[in-house]
Amino acid sequence: MERNSENKITSFVLHILAMAFMLSDHLWATVVTGNADWMTCIGRLAFPIFAFMTVEGFFHTKNLKQYAKRLLVFALLSEIPFNLMMSGSVIYPFHQNVLWCFLLCVGLMSLNEKAKKTGKWWIFGLTAAGTFLLGTLVGMLSFMDYMQYGVWMVLTFY
């Protein structure tokens, strides 16, 4: 097997695992009754995998604008069902789905990459610090899933 096909297989397996872990968590939160805390423990493994895959997608996409656009479309499409699940209301400003975190992080990584291309370490350093602070603030103030901690995890993988 050539290296590229191994990467595709690994990526596919990671996506399937993350989706299965996420399903476990969501089933526990919505359908399964009784004490099934183990399901949410398994489910908590999904976010780090998706965070890692977001960074991988950022570096391996052929078209970053299309990648960001897809994240935006799915963030918008999933927001109403997410709000209904979280609050029973179509609009719920106090908790946003996790795709907003990934979209924000793609933007932050893009800013860092542009600063890196200048070749000036001080510009990159200031940009990295600025994007970290911006991500922290937006994560906290927007109430996105995992808040600033999700942003920090994606940026750590970056």
Side-chain angles (χ1 to χ4, degrees), residues 29-30 34 42 68 73 89 93 96 98 101 106 111 126 129 132 137 139 141 152:
T30 58
I42 290 172
V73 166
S89 173
Q96 311 310 313
V98 73
C101 176
V106 165
L111 288 172
L126 288 173
F132 178 82
L137 286 173
L141 297 175
W152 294 348

mmCIF file of all heavy atoms in Angstrom, residues 29-30 34 42 68 73 89 93 96 98 101 106 111 126 129 132 137 139 141 152:
data_model
loop_
_atom_site.group_PDB
_atom_site.id
_atom_site.type_symbol
_atom_site.label_atom_id
_atom_site.label_comp_id
_atom_site.label_asym_id
_atom_site.label_seq_id
_atom_site.Cartn_x
_atom_site.Cartn_y
_atom_site.Cartn_z
ATOM 1 N N ALA A 29 -27.584 10.789 26.153
ATOM 2 C CA ALA A 29 -28.212 12.055 26.525
ATOM 3 C C ALA A 29 -29.677 12.131 26.113
ATOM 4 O O ALA A 29 -30.428 12.927 26.673
ATOM 5 C CB ALA A 29 -27.443 13.219 25.905
ATOM 6 N N THR A 30 -30.104 11.305 25.151
ATOM 7 C CA THR A 30 -31.455 11.470 24.621
ATOM 8 C C THR A 30 -32.350 10.244 24.744
ATOM 9 O O THR A 30 -33.529 10.380 25.012
ATOM 10 C CB THR A 30 -31.395 11.863 23.128
ATOM 11 O OG1 THR A 30 -30.687 10.848 22.414
ATOM 12 C CG2 THR A 30 -30.707 13.206 22.940
ATOM 13 N N GLY A 34 -31.687 5.386 32.593
ATOM 14 C CA GLY A 34 -30.911 4.710 33.626
ATOM 15 C C GLY A 34 -29.495 5.229 33.693
ATOM 16 O O GLY A 34 -29.135 6.243 33.101
ATOM 17 N N ILE A 42 -17.360 7.367 26.886
ATOM 18 C CA ILE A 42 -16.907 6.971 25.545
ATOM 19 C C ILE A 42 -17.111 8.130 24.574
ATOM 20 O O ILE A 42 -16.256 8.425 23.739
ATOM 21 C CB ILE A 42 -17.652 5.711 25.061
ATOM 22 C CG1 ILE A 42 -17.199 4.501 25.874
ATOM 23 C CG2 ILE A 42 -17.451 5.480 23.572
ATOM 24 C CD1 ILE A 42 -18.006 3.248 25.621
ATOM 25 N N ALA A 68 -13.972 25.695 4.517
ATOM 26 C CA ALA A 68 -14.631 26.588 5.474
ATOM 27 C C ALA A 68 -16.108 26.762 5.137
ATOM 28 O O ALA A 68 -16.957 26.786 6.037
ATOM 29 C CB ALA A 68 -13.920 27.946 5.489
ATOM 30 N N VAL A 73 -21.863 25.788 6.275
ATOM 31 C CA VAL A 73 -23.172 25.249 5.877
ATOM 32 C C VAL A 73 -23.666 24.217 6.891
ATOM 33 O O VAL A 73 -24.819 24.264 7.335
ATOM 34 C CB VAL A 73 -23.107 24.649 4.450
ATOM 35 C CG1 VAL A 73 -24.329 23.791 4.137
ATOM 36 C CG2 VAL A 73 -22.963 25.762 3.423
ATOM 37 N N SER A 89 -36.203 24.940 21.946
ATOM 38 C CA SER A 89 -36.517 26.163 21.221
ATOM 39 C C SER A 89 -35.669 26.239 19.953
ATOM 40 O O SER A 89 -34.544 25.745 19.921
ATOM 41 C CB SER A 89 -36.215 27.366 22.121
ATOM 42 O OG SER A 89 -36.352 28.564 21.414
ATOM 43 N N PRO A 93 -29.545 31.133 22.341
ATOM 44 C CA PRO A 93 -28.246 31.811 22.231
ATOM 45 C C PRO A 93 -27.203 31.378 23.256
ATOM 46 O O PRO A 93 -26.079 31.848 23.204
ATOM 47 C CB PRO A 93 -28.610 33.289 22.428
ATOM 48 C CG PRO A 93 -29.846 33.262 23.262
ATOM 49 C CD PRO A 93 -30.589 32.002 22.871
ATOM 50 N N GLN A 96 -23.992 26.839 21.443
ATOM 51 C CA GLN A 96 -23.894 26.665 19.994
ATOM 52 C C GLN A 96 -23.228 25.334 19.681
ATOM 53 O O GLN A 96 -22.423 24.842 20.456
ATOM 54 C CB GLN A 96 -23.092 27.807 19.372
ATOM 55 C CG GLN A 96 -23.509 29.189 19.795
ATOM 56 C CD GLN A 96 -24.986 29.449 19.684
ATOM 57 O OE1 GLN A 96 -25.599 29.135 18.682
ATOM 58 N NE2 GLN A 96 -25.573 29.998 20.724
ATOM 59 N N VAL A 98 -20.860 22.401 17.970
ATOM 60 C CA VAL A 98 -19.403 22.296 17.929
ATOM 61 C C VAL A 98 -18.811 22.699 16.571
ATOM 62 O O VAL A 98 -17.642 23.078 16.500
ATOM 63 C CB VAL A 98 -18.977 20.861 18.312
ATOM 64 C CG1 VAL A 98 -19.279 19.887 17.190
ATOM 65 C CG2 VAL A 98 -17.529 20.803 18.713
ATOM 66 N N CYS A 101 -17.051 25.971 16.540
ATOM 67 C CA CYS A 101 -15.692 25.917 17.086
ATOM 68 C C CYS A 101 -14.699 25.537 15.988
ATOM 69 O O CYS A 101 -13.646 26.168 15.843
ATOM 70 C CB CYS A 101 -15.627 24.916 18.238
ATOM 71 S SG CYS A 101 -13.972 24.677 18.923
ATOM 72 N N VAL A 106 -10.490 27.025 12.014
ATOM 73 C CA VAL A 106 -9.966 27.059 10.644
ATOM 74 C C VAL A 106 -9.570 28.489 10.286
ATOM 75 O O VAL A 106 -8.515 28.731 9.695
ATOM 76 C CB VAL A 106 -10.991 26.472 9.641
ATOM 77 C CG1 VAL A 106 -10.645 26.833 8.213
ATOM 78 C CG2 VAL A 106 -11.069 24.961 9.801
ATOM 79 N N LEU A 111 -5.118 32.504 9.649
ATOM 80 C CA LEU A 111 -4.384 33.724 10.011
ATOM 81 C C LEU A 111 -2.945 33.406 10.408
ATOM 82 O O LEU A 111 -2.006 34.109 10.011
ATOM 83 C CB LEU A 111 -5.095 34.437 11.161
ATOM 84 C CG LEU A 111 -6.410 35.126 10.839
ATOM 85 C CD1 LEU A 111 -7.086 35.622 12.113
ATOM 86 C CD2 LEU A 111 -6.192 36.270 9.864
ATOM 87 N N LEU A 126 3.272 37.300 17.328
ATOM 88 C CA LEU A 126 2.164 38.186 17.694
ATOM 89 C C LEU A 126 0.829 37.653 17.180
ATOM 90 O O LEU A 126 -0.187 37.717 17.878
ATOM 91 C CB LEU A 126 2.405 39.605 17.159
ATOM 92 C CG LEU A 126 3.483 40.420 17.863
ATOM 93 C CD1 LEU A 126 3.731 41.735 17.132
ATOM 94 C CD2 LEU A 126 3.084 40.685 19.307
ATOM 95 N N ALA A 129 -0.240 34.617 19.317
ATOM 96 C CA ALA A 129 -0.781 35.068 20.603
ATOM 97 C C ALA A 129 -2.152 35.719 20.411
ATOM 98 O O ALA A 129 -3.088 35.476 21.183
ATOM 99 C CB ALA A 129 0.188 36.044 21.266
ATOM 100 N N PHE A 132 -4.795 33.110 19.626
ATOM 101 C CA PHE A 132 -5.109 32.362 20.851
ATOM 102 C C PHE A 132 -6.079 33.170 21.717
ATOM 103 O O PHE A 132 -7.088 32.646 22.196
ATOM 104 C CB PHE A 132 -3.822 32.055 21.621
ATOM 105 C CG PHE A 132 -4.060 31.338 22.918
ATOM 106 C CD1 PHE A 132 -4.249 29.966 22.937
ATOM 107 C CD2 PHE A 132 -4.112 32.033 24.113
ATOM 108 C CE1 PHE A 132 -4.482 29.297 24.141
ATOM 109 C CE2 PHE A 132 -4.337 31.383 25.320
ATOM 110 C CZ PHE A 132 -4.525 30.012 25.322
ATOM 111 N N LEU A 137 -11.601 34.328 23.623
ATOM 112 C CA LEU A 137 -12.726 35.247 23.834
ATOM 113 C C LEU A 137 -13.974 34.830 23.070
ATOM 114 O O LEU A 137 -15.070 34.800 23.623
ATOM 115 C CB LEU A 137 -12.323 36.674 23.435
ATOM 116 C CG LEU A 137 -11.389 37.389 24.394
ATOM 117 C CD1 LEU A 137 -10.920 38.719 23.819
ATOM 118 C CD2 LEU A 137 -12.080 37.607 25.738
ATOM 119 N N GLY A 139 -14.704 31.893 21.916
ATOM 120 C CA GLY A 139 -15.183 30.631 22.480
ATOM 121 C C GLY A 139 -16.020 30.840 23.723
ATOM 122 O O GLY A 139 -17.067 30.217 23.899
ATOM 123 N N LEU A 141 -17.473 33.847 24.780
ATOM 124 C CA LEU A 141 -18.601 34.765 24.612
ATOM 125 C C LEU A 141 -19.707 34.219 23.713
ATOM 126 O O LEU A 141 -20.854 34.633 23.833
ATOM 127 C CB LEU A 141 -18.103 36.105 24.063
ATOM 128 C CG LEU A 141 -17.136 36.864 24.982
ATOM 129 C CD1 LEU A 141 -16.619 38.123 24.294
ATOM 130 C CD2 LEU A 141 -17.799 37.196 26.308
ATOM 131 N N TRP A 152 -8.739 25.723 22.266
ATOM 132 C CA TRP A 152 -7.369 25.407 22.697
ATOM 133 C C TRP A 152 -6.937 24.034 22.208
ATOM 134 O O TRP A 152 -5.784 23.844 21.821
ATOM 135 C CB TRP A 152 -7.262 25.465 24.212
ATOM 136 C CG TRP A 152 -7.461 26.822 24.812
ATOM 137 C CD1 TRP A 152 -7.492 28.025 24.148
ATOM 138 C CD2 TRP A 152 -7.666 27.120 26.181
ATOM 139 N NE1 TRP A 152 -7.709 29.036 25.036
ATOM 140 C CE2 TRP A 152 -7.825 28.521 26.298
ATOM 141 C CE3 TRP A 152 -7.752 26.350 27.330
ATOM 142 C CZ2 TRP A 152 -8.047 29.155 27.506
ATOM 143 C CZ3 TRP A 152 -7.969 26.991 28.541
ATOM 144 C CH2 TRP A 152 -8.113 28.374 28.637
#
